[in-house]
Amino acid sequence: MDAFLDALQWPAMAVTLLAAWLVAARSAARRRWGFGVFVASNLLWSAWGLHTQAYALIVLQVGLFLLNLRGVRKNRQADDGSDGADRSGTRVPGEATDAGTARAGTRERGLL
């Protein structure tokens, strides 16, 4: 069992890299998967941290998990087209006026 837990850092590292790649994707579906994979990496790193008594690493994973929850919420808001701010009646110069143009503008800013 000790050998398994000692080796757990390698899959944890690979899962973390995969999650980062997914979260950086333009596709909302891939970003959603990325947040889920990040949660798996938090669990793997926490298990390894318990085994090695790396308590700062465990606290870091809890903090990163909370940031992942924030990312999920912001990703949903971007998918819904809202960021929580009330901008009714406010038009930003260069802002799109129809849904198709708005989607293209969002894609240009790297949100999709």
Side-chain angles (χ1 to χ4, degrees):
M1 185 67 163
D2 277 346
F4 172 76
L5 289 172
D6 286 337
L8 194 59
Q9 64 184 317
W10 295 105
M13 181 269 310
V15 170
T16 302
L17 287 175
L18 174 63
W21 183 78
L22 289 168
V23 166
R26 288 181 183 246
S27 162
R30 283 189 179 163
R31 286 194 310 272
R32 282 190 299 271
W33 270 100
F35 290 119
V37 174
F38 259 131
V39 170
S41 81
N42 295 143
L43 294 172
L44 290 169
W45 280 117
S46 295
W48 185 78
L50 279 172
H51 171 68
T52 60
Q53 298 178 348
Y55 300 114
L57 177 66
I58 296 167
V59 172
L60 172 65
Q61 296 308 310
V62 170
L64 291 173
F65 173 76
L66 294 174
L67 288 172
N68 285 330
L69 292 179
R70 179 179 179 265
V72 167
R73 188 186 77 225
K74 291 181 90 47
N75 192 49
R76 280 189 188 143
Q77 288 173 347
D79 287 348
D80 294 342
S82 73
D83 60 5
D86 181 19
R87 294 196 178 116
S88 57
T90 306
R91 186 171 183 283
V92 177
E95 185 176 50
T97 56
D98 69 359
T101 310
R103 187 173 295 119
T106 302
R107 194 172 295 119
E108 287 174 4
R109 289 188 301 269
L111 297 176
L112 293 179

